[in-house]
Amino acid sequence: MSAADVQAVIGSPANFELLVMQLLSADNTGRKQAEAVYEALKAHADPCLTLLLRCLRSSEKVESRSFCAIMLRKALTQNEPNLWTQCSPQMQAALKTELMAALVEEQQRSVVHKVCDTVSELAADCLDKGTWPEVLPALQELATSPNPAAVEAGLLIIANLASYSTDHMRPHLAGLQPLLGNCLNHAAIDVQVAALHACCNFINALDDPREREAFQPMLVPMLAALGRCLTAGDESSAQDVLELLIEVAESYPKFLRKHLTELVSAMMQIATASQLEPPTRSLAAECLVTLAEARDKAPGMVRRLPHFVGGLFEALMAFLLDVEDEPDWHRGDTDAHEDDGAGELFDGGQEFLDRVAIALGGRALVPAAGQLLPVWLADGDWRKRHAALICLAQIAEGCEKLMAEQVEGLVGMCLSGLRDTHPKVRWASCQALGQMCTDLGPELQTKCGGAVLPALLAAMDDFANPRVQAHAAAAVVNFSEGCESDTMAPHLDALIAKLLTLLQQGKKIVQEGALTALASVADCAQEQFVRYYDAVMPLLSQILHNAQNKEHRLLRAKDAARPLALHSLLPHTRTLSTD
């Protein structure tokens, strides 16, 4: 790269646009050469900015205009030293004029949004230095334009400045609030969403509760704007709105108190609307769960709402129905297909139930679960039976105290699931039992061990469904970790025999589960495991000798992410080796 290369670009807008295309190229060699030229060009601040601005304003290629908006933002506000401080006052004036003009004249909305980002960051820097005070009146003028695209652009920059330059925006709140209120009722959905964005950013950025309270009258119009997005089928915009409301619910839940009924009703309707996309429904549920979690900032706020807990619980249980009977799940010999058949809502439902249980506790949630779960466990739809058992696993930690009082009944639900005709229901029963052994132990093991272990042993006989076998073995691990050796003792013969059988006859996923369970049982049994040395150690030696390839490394306990801890067997067998 020579000075002549740079001068060739400076002297020709066409050459500069060719350089831009090279910067966008997937060809590494050509792109690196172009990057070197561009870096050298930035040493000439005014010519470089002139070319960027000209390409942004006049190139026929959308990708060139878009990239120049990005490069301008970086050159003016991010590079050290940035070109704004290096260029002439005349260039600074031209940039202000042309960028503001681009907000109105650019026809491609995606490019306008990138110009908005550039103006926002530049304006924030200039406001701090007192060098662009006229930008705020100009933005307010844009936001009252008859052109909806210009209104949206002005509002988006105001929204950004609400976060970037809150102190500079504070003196203008009295004028901005009625402006934003009007824009929330604008005919264009994009304008409504941009106004809502600005409102939420102000609510989150303002420290003074009195300043935030001034935005209270806008909450109902904000919910109305969300409804209009959904009615128009614009779920992308609706998702943007939901994310903004979640931020408010997380930061300042008390702000929502006066209109909590309307907000919760809207979120419940969206979360339970089967015709909507899973991400939209999940975001509505996230908003409700976030409100439930706001115990420190707004204690008891949502609990006082009639039917909130029951309604939310039913909505989240419906998420667990987003699961299919995927053939690969049944055929799977590894963990690779364990989530096959589970949709987006199913995964979200599990997480939300866990969080709600921790946030609200058993006194609030268990009554709702007690009404619904027995009905679903008796339903003819396997997905409902599956969901009820998955729910038990998810809420056990948060509802630990109250569920421990009802442990025999809950274990009975799981045992009925182990007798179910559907493999996924049996798998879910193992999941629930295993999790409850962790969260409700050791009371569960002491009170129910005599029923739980034989049932898990029976599930290990399901050779037609290796995932069920492996998960039953995994539940034994959880059982063992919270179990006294005396509780385990009566079942050791049957357990060891079964696990050794699985090690010799099961598929790889089953062998891995059985080996982990064997180590855990040995840890629990302590000295009582000694008498199984002659049966166990030759088989373990054989596994260590034969499991040489990569796919069997778990059996050799060498997977750093999931060690099987064969060494935990050794303390209970070493004494035999000296006898």
Side-chain angles (χ1 to χ4, degrees):
M1 192 274 299
S2 64
D5 295 324
V6 175
Q7 289 303 318
V9 172
I10 290 175
S12 169
N15 286 345
F16 179 77
E17 184 156 0
L18 179 61
L19 178 69
V20 170
M21 297 308 294
Q22 290 172 334
L23 288 168
L24 290 167
S25 172
D27 175 58
N28 288 334
T29 302
R31 188 178 66 254
K32 287 181 179 179
Q33 291 173 349
E35 288 170 352
V37 173
Y38 179 65
E39 285 301 313
L41 177 61
K42 286 194 292 185
H44 308 272
D46 276 24
C48 179
L49 292 172
T50 298
L51 289 165
L52 284 168
L53 202 53
R54 183 178 294 162
C55 188
L56 167 67
R57 300 287 281 124
S58 61
S59 174
E60 295 181 359
K61 297 183 176 68
V62 172
E63 59 269 33
S64 294
R65 301 200 303 275
S66 181
F67 192 57
C68 282
I70 295 171
M71 289 198 294
L72 271 169
R73 175 173 57 83
K74 292 180 178 180
L76 293 172
T77 65
Q78 295 182 10
N79 291 343
E80 290 295 339
N82 64 60
L83 297 194
W84 179 259
T85 60
Q86 303 295 306
C87 69
S88 66
Q90 294 80 10
M91 188 70 245
Q92 290 179 349
L95 282 163
K96 292 174 182 177
T97 300
E98 289 300 314
L99 287 172
M100 295 300 290
L103 295 173
V104 178
E105 297 170 8
E106 171 62 52
Q107 298 299 304
Q108 191 70 30
R109 186 164 176 255
S110 62
V111 178
V112 173
H113 284 188
K114 290 181 175 60
V115 176
C116 287
D117 292 338
T118 302
V119 172
S120 297
E121 293 191 24
L122 179 60
D125 287 349
C126 289
L127 286 171
D128 284 342
K129 298 168 185 173
T131 56
W132 198 1
E134 67 273 20
V135 70
L136 296 179
L139 292 174
Q140 288 177 279
E141 184 177 347
L142 270 183
T144 57
S145 165
N147 176 3
V151 177
E152 181 196 15
L155 291 172
L156 288 175
I157 298 170
I158 290 171
N160 288 335
L161 292 177
S163 298
Y164 302 159
S165 304
T166 311
D167 289 340
H168 296 294
M169 301 298 286
R170 187 173 275 112
H172 301 270
L173 284 176
L176 285 171
Q177 284 159 351
L179 171 63
L180 295 174
N182 291 334
C183 290
L184 284 171
N185 294 300
H186 198 280
I189 287 178
D190 293 337
V191 171
Q192 296 171 29
V193 173
L196 195 149
H197 195 163
C199 288
C200 289
N201 282 10
F202 273 118
I203 293 165
N204 284 321
L206 292 169
D207 295 327
D208 189 336
R210 293 169 298 180
E211 291 177 333
R212 286 198 302 273
E213 288 299 310
F215 287 86
Q216 274 285 342
M218 299 185 196
L219 188 55
V220 172
M222 287 161 68
L223 293 175
L226 171 61
R228 286 191 287 270
C229 290
L230 293 170
T231 300
D234 186 357
E235 291 199 47
S236 177
S237 293
Q239 289 166 19
D240 291 341
V241 171
L242 287 165
E243 289 176 349
L244 292 166
L245 291 173
I246 290 166
E247 289 180 21
V248 175
E250 184 174 12
S251 300
Y252 298 106
K254 283 186 178 180
F255 175 84
L256 306 170
R257 188 192 299 273
K258 290 182 181 178
H259 300 288
L260 190 61
T261 300
E262 295 93 329
L263 175 66
V264 167
S265 177
M267 296 302 115
M268 288 286 191
Q269 288 182 48
I270 296 169
T272 56
S274 59
Q275 74 275 16
L276 296 178
E277 297 171 1
T280 306
R281 296 176 64 188
S282 293
L283 285 168
E286 175 69 43
C287 187
L288 293 167
V289 173
T290 300
L291 287 171
E293 291 175 326
R295 291 176 298 179
D296 295 336
K297 296 178 180 178
M301 187 173 75
V302 293
R303 291 194 194 189
R304 298 190 188 102
L305 284 182
H307 314 300
F308 173 81
V309 176
L312 178 57
F313 181 75
E314 288 191 31
L316 298 181
M317 286 296 294
F319 280 23
L320 297 185
L321 299 180
D322 186 19
V323 60
E324 300 297 334
D325 208 1
E326 176 60 48
D328 282 346
W329 184 90
H330 295 275
R331 291 192 295 262
D333 189 23
T334 67
D335 290 339
H337 296 282
E338 187 169 280
D339 295 329
D340 281 5
E344 294 178 62
L345 292 175
F346 181 83
D347 292 337
Q350 290 188 93
E351 177 197 338
F352 292 143
L353 282 166
D354 180 46
R355 288 167 56 190
V356 166
I358 292 171
L360 298 179
R363 297 297 172 190
L365 200 62
V366 167
Q371 289 184 3
L372 190 64
L373 296 189
V375 176
W376 280 34
L377 279 169
D379 197 280
D381 186 346
W382 72 267
R383 297 179 306 156
K384 287 191 173 182
R385 304 194 301 276
H386 177 266
L389 292 160
I390 291 295
C391 174
L392 285 179
Q394 296 306 117
I395 68 173
E397 180 185 2
C399 302
E400 173 187 348
K401 186 175 180 180
L402 196 58
M403 288 179 67
E405 297 172 4
Q406 305 173 17
V407 67
E408 291 95 338
L410 298 174
V411 167
M413 292 182 182
C414 297
L415 298 183
S416 70
L418 282 175
R419 297 188 293 271
D420 201 278
T421 57
H422 200 286
K424 279 201 169 183
V425 177
R426 296 199 293 278
W427 184 95
S429 298
C430 296
Q431 175 78 1
L433 277 173
Q435 193 61 52
M436 288 196 299
C437 283
T438 297
D439 295 324
L440 308 184
E443 289 84 359
L444 184 149
Q445 286 88 330
T446 302
K447 293 180 179 179
C448 307
V452 169
L453 285 175
L456 292 174
L457 284 167
M460 292 183 208
D461 283 330
D462 190 1
F463 281 90
N465 294 286
R467 288 203 188 280
V468 174
Q469 289 179 294
H471 223 49
V476 168
V477 174
N478 292 48
F479 186 98
S480 302
E481 288 173 350
C483 183
E484 297 293 334
S485 58
D486 290 345
T487 302
M488 181 72 76
H491 307 281
L492 278 176
D493 287 350
L495 261 175
I496 301 302
K498 186 71 66 179
L499 293 172
L500 292 179
T501 298
L502 296 184
L503 279 171
Q504 297 174 83
Q505 299 178 16
K507 290 190 174 181
K508 185 164 70 71
I509 188 175
V510 179
Q511 291 177 318
E512 292 170 2
L515 193 52
T516 309
L518 191 62
S520 185
V521 169
D523 226 14
C524 174
Q526 300 291 317
E527 287 75 12
Q528 298 180 60
F529 193 78
V530 169
R531 66 180 185 270
Y532 302 103
Y533 175 82
D534 288 340
V536 171
M537 292 309 292
L539 181 57
L540 296 186
S541 298
Q542 182 181 348
I543 290 173
L544 288 169
H545 178 74
N546 293 332
Q548 297 294 328
N549 56 23
K550 185 177 180 181
E551 71 177 41
H552 289 100
R553 62 183 177 178
L554 282 174
L555 291 175
R556 293 177 54 83
K558 288 188 177 180
D559 191 308
R562 292 181 53 204
L564 295 182
L566 278 178
H567 64 272
S568 66
L569 293 171
L570 299 180
H572 316 305
T573 56
R574 192 173 292 126
T575 55
L576 276 183
S577 65
T578 60
D579 286 349

